[in-house]
Amino acid sequence: MKVSVSTVMWLLLYALLAGGSLALFSTITTFAKYLFSLLTVYIGIRFFRRFETIGLRITFIVLAIAMYFLIVVIIAMFQFIRDNPDVMQAASL
């Protein structure tokens, strides 16, 4: 099966959006978190309507989970740096 560059770019974009909205869902504690959950479902539906092959769908799910973990780690790093400025300042000396 031959996949075009535009298909790969769309796949990465959809996976990034889904992973990002899942990461925001898991980090936000207010009621707005449920809007990100619905956004993730909407992104998944849009992707599944656009691409009908099983391989692309599995790749989308795997990449969305990978993006989720990557974005959550980045958010945790920023929160640690924000909450512990003295540790980061001592590390730079």
Side-chain angles (χ1 to χ4, degrees), residues 18-92:
S21 61
L22 280 174
L24 289 173
F25 170 75
S26 67
T27 57
I28 293 176
T29 58
T30 62
F31 181 74
K33 74 186 281 179
Y34 300 110
L35 296 176
F36 289 107
S37 172
L38 291 174
L39 178 64
T40 303
V41 170
Y42 178 71
I43 291 168
I45 290 171
R46 291 283 308 232
F47 182 83
F48 275 45
R49 281 188 186 165
R50 185 173 182 146
F51 302 104
E52 296 181 359
T53 60
I54 297 296
L56 284 175
R57 288 179 176 185
I58 291 171
T59 307
F60 165 71
I61 292 170
V62 169
L63 282 177
I65 292 170
M67 294 290 182
Y68 161 73
F69 284 124
L70 180 68
I71 293 170
V72 165
V73 167
I74 291 170
I75 289 172
M77 288 179 359
F78 279 126
Q79 287 177 346
F80 179 80
I81 291 170
R82 184 191 64 205
D83 294 341
N84 300 310
D86 53 339
V87 172
M88 299 310 295
Q89 189 176 26
S92 65

Side-chain angles (χ1 to χ4, degrees), residues 4-18:
S4 67
V5 174
S6 65
T7 303
V8 172
M9 290 301 157
W10 279 113
L11 173 68
L12 290 174
L13 178 67
Y14 275 111
L16 180 66
L17 289 174

